[in-house]
């Protein structure tokens, strides 16, 4: 039987305005960011990762994080997330009343040093203080494990290292986690095996899978994760995205391609695909470059095209004979 263990409902988290915009060369105007988030808010997405509270020198495109967070129109059915690397970021996020902060640390020490300029122990020490800071607030804490499958500097990552970081996260009071393939190094088998292990060891933990399509395995990896019991995926409109501090990094799995694929196998996402496609088709003009999403270019698989006049004539002739 076809992929028996797939869930019936999949929650989709949109990360284009964070993971996508962070690596864009041209500054995306603040009002455009707000407009995009307001439109995304109406499409049935589970979470929207709005922006990052990071150093504006590290990520210039997200230097308007406060203004964006304070100006969007929030839909109570959507969780608005901001990425946070340190205590200063957590204080900024708290001041904007973010629904959730996404703490980020890499499983690989080399990538954590490159990206956040801290050792993993230094990151964990900050996260511990952030958990205390957040006590009594309405802001939830998710923590990401970047480079969970592979690191551009250290190579493939053993699953035991990921399990170990999850245990450290839970020990300091983190409520949910994201397993991230930051540079698209995961294979479907690796995704299945790690997700299966995580589900067995931490059966009640809320887990998101965050995938990049750097080597063309993104959607296959998503299916591998779903068949191992994952029910929540990050994805990016148009397939934009990538970490500026990881050489060769490219876009996230593409939201509209993901929704299209899941619909094609009758998995419910609750996401408005036609509007998502309209929005993806507007991105090349805004970003001034092509996007990697496929369905925005090809159209839905159920869409048909008109026959050419010569073939219509040929058909008519054949029918006469
Ligand atoms: N928000 C805004 N500014 C911040 C900040 C934050 N969360 N954290 C630090 N800064 C500022 C400091 O105030 C200081 O400013 P100054 O130079 O005007 O005095 C400057 O950044 C350096 O601070 P420091 O604590 O020494 O940071 P650092 O240079 O070691 O860099 C990070 C550490 C985490 C701030 C930086 O590496 C970063 O923002 N990384 C984010 C990377 C990212 O988003 N990657 C993609 C997502 S996975
Ligand atoms: Zn990412």
């Amino acid at each position: 039987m076809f992929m028996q263990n797939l869930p019936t409902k999949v929650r989709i988290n949109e990360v284009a305005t964070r993971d996508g915009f962070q690596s864009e060369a041209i500054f995306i105007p603040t009002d455009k960011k707000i407009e995009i988030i307001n439109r995304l808010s109406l499409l049935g997405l589970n979470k929207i990762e709005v922006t990052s509270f990071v150093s504006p020198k590290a990520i210039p495109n997200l230097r308007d994080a406060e203004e964006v967070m304070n100006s969007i129109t929030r839909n109570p059915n959507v969780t608005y997330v901001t990425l946070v690397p340190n205590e200063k970021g957590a204080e900024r996020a708290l001041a904007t009343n973010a629904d959730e902060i996404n703490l980020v640390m890499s499983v690989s020490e080399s990538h954590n040093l490159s990206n956040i300029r801290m050792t993993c122990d230094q990151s964990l020490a900050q996260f511990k203080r952030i958990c205390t800071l957040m006590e009594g607030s309405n802001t939830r804490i998710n923590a990401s494990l970047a480079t969970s499958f592979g690191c551009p500097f250290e190579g493939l990552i053993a699953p035991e290292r990921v399990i170990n970081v999850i245990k450290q996260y839970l020990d300091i009071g983190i409520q949910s986690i994201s397993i991230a393939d930051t540079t698209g190094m995961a294979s479907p088998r690796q995704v299945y095996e790690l997700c299966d292990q995580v589900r067995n060891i931490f059966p009640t933990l809320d887990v998101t899978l965050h995938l990049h399509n750097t080597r063309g395995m993104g959607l296959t990896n998503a299916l591998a994760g779903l068949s191992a019991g994952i029910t929540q995926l990050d994805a990016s409109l148009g397939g934009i995205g990538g970490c500026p501090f990881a050489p060769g990094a490219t876009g996230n799995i593409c939201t509209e391609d993901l929704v299209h694929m899941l619909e094609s196998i009758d998995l419910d996402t609750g996401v408005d695909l036609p509007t998502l496609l309209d929005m993806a088709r507007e991105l090349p003009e805004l970003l001034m470059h092509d996007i990697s999403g496929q369905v925005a270019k090809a159209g839905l698989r159920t869409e048909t095209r008109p026959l050419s006049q010569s073939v219509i004539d040929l058909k008519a002739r054949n029918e006469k004979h």
Side-chain angles (χ1 to χ4, degrees):
M1 195 190 281
F2 176 73
M3 304 197 79
Q4 297 183 56
N5 298 325
L6 292 173
T8 49
K9 170 102 188 140
V10 181
R11 289 167 292 164
I12 310 281
N13 304 332
E14 175 58 56
V15 299
T17 56
R18 196 281 296 171
D19 206 335
F21 289 173
Q22 72 182 5
S23 49
E24 288 299 328
I26 56 156
F27 182 72
I28 318 289
T30 306
D31 57 350
K32 208 59 207 170
K33 290 174 177 142
I34 295 163
E35 181 205 314
I36 289 172
I37 293 158
N38 287 347
R39 288 167 73 192
L40 288 169
S41 294
L42 306 175
L43 304 188
L45 293 156
N46 176 51
K47 297 182 184 177
I48 297 178
E49 196 155 308
V50 173
T51 187
S52 295
F53 287 115
V54 295
S55 154
K57 282 182 201 141
I59 308 283
N61 222 320
L62 303 184
R63 61 178 182 259
D64 54 3
E66 271 85 1
E67 198 182 341
V68 173
M69 272 302 281
N70 290 329
S71 308
I72 53 174
T73 306
R74 296 197 198 183
N75 175 342
N77 298 321
V78 177
T79 299
Y80 294 89
V81 183
T82 62
L83 183 131
V84 164
N86 59 9
E87 280 174 291
K88 179 160 185 180
E91 284 160 9
R92 292 174 65 201
L94 207 51
T96 63
N97 201 19
D99 295 324
E100 184 173 295
I101 57 167
N102 183 17
L103 297 175
V104 63
M105 180 183 96
S106 306
V107 178
S108 137
E109 184 99 0
S110 309
H111 185 259
N112 207 54
L113 283 166
S114 306
N115 192 35
I116 309 293
R117 310 194 65 76
M118 287 189 271
T119 63
C120 293
D121 281 348
Q122 287 168 332
S123 282
L124 281 168
Q126 294 237 1
F127 293 178
K128 201 172 171 183
R129 293 197 289 274
I130 291 170
C131 287
T132 310
L133 176 80
M134 291 288 166
E135 267 168 27
S137 77
N138 293 324
T139 304
R140 286 187 76 254
I141 307 177
N142 184 77
S144 283
L145 297 94
T147 65
S148 281
F149 299 95
C151 160
F153 313 108
E154 294 186 12
L156 296 179
I157 298 288
E160 298 72 48
R161 292 178 68 182
V162 179
I163 302 294
N164 189 35
V165 175
I166 298 175
K167 285 185 180 153
Q168 290 175 305
Y169 278 175
L170 295 181
D171 280 349
I172 59 173
I174 280 160
Q175 294 149 331
S176 62
I177 63 150
S178 298
I179 299 176
D181 184 22
T182 310
T183 54
M185 293 168 74
S187 76
R189 179 186 293 272
Q190 212 186 347
V191 171
Y192 181 85
E193 289 178 355
L194 178 62
C195 293
D196 187 51
Q197 219 177 322
V198 170
R199 295 246 49 88
N200 284 325
I201 302 175
F202 312 100
T204 57
L205 182 61
D206 186 20
V207 181
T208 298
L209 192 55
H210 176 101
L211 298 166
H212 283 256
N213 192 36
T214 317
R215 291 171 177 80
M217 292 190 274
L219 290 187
T220 314
N221 286 341
L223 276 184
L226 295 176
S227 63
I230 298 295
T231 58
Q232 189 170 191
L233 296 168
D234 283 352
S236 169
L237 188 73
I240 61 172
C243 175
F245 302 99
T250 57
N252 292 77
I253 54 170
C254 169
T255 314
E256 64 274 15
D257 290 3
L258 174 69
V259 171
H260 179 262
M261 178 187 75
L262 296 179
E263 280 189 2
S264 80
I265 53 173
D266 298 324
L267 289 196
D268 180 20
T269 63
V271 175
D272 172 353
L273 180 57
T275 309
L276 213 51
L277 283 167
D278 288 344
M279 291 188 68
R281 289 177 181 130
E282 293 170 22
L283 280 179
E285 196 183 327
L286 175 71
L287 305 177
M288 302 208 300
H289 62 73
D290 193 14
I291 55 168
S292 59
Q294 306 276 295
V295 182
K297 294 170 191 159
L300 299 174
R301 71 194 186 100
T302 47
E303 260 172 47
T304 55
R305 307 284 203 281
L307 270 176
S308 71
Q309 192 55 49
S310 71
V311 176
I312 293 171
D313 295 344
L314 200 56
K315 260 184 144 179
R317 250 185 285 143
N318 285 342
E319 273 159 21
K320 266 194 209 151
H321 296 297

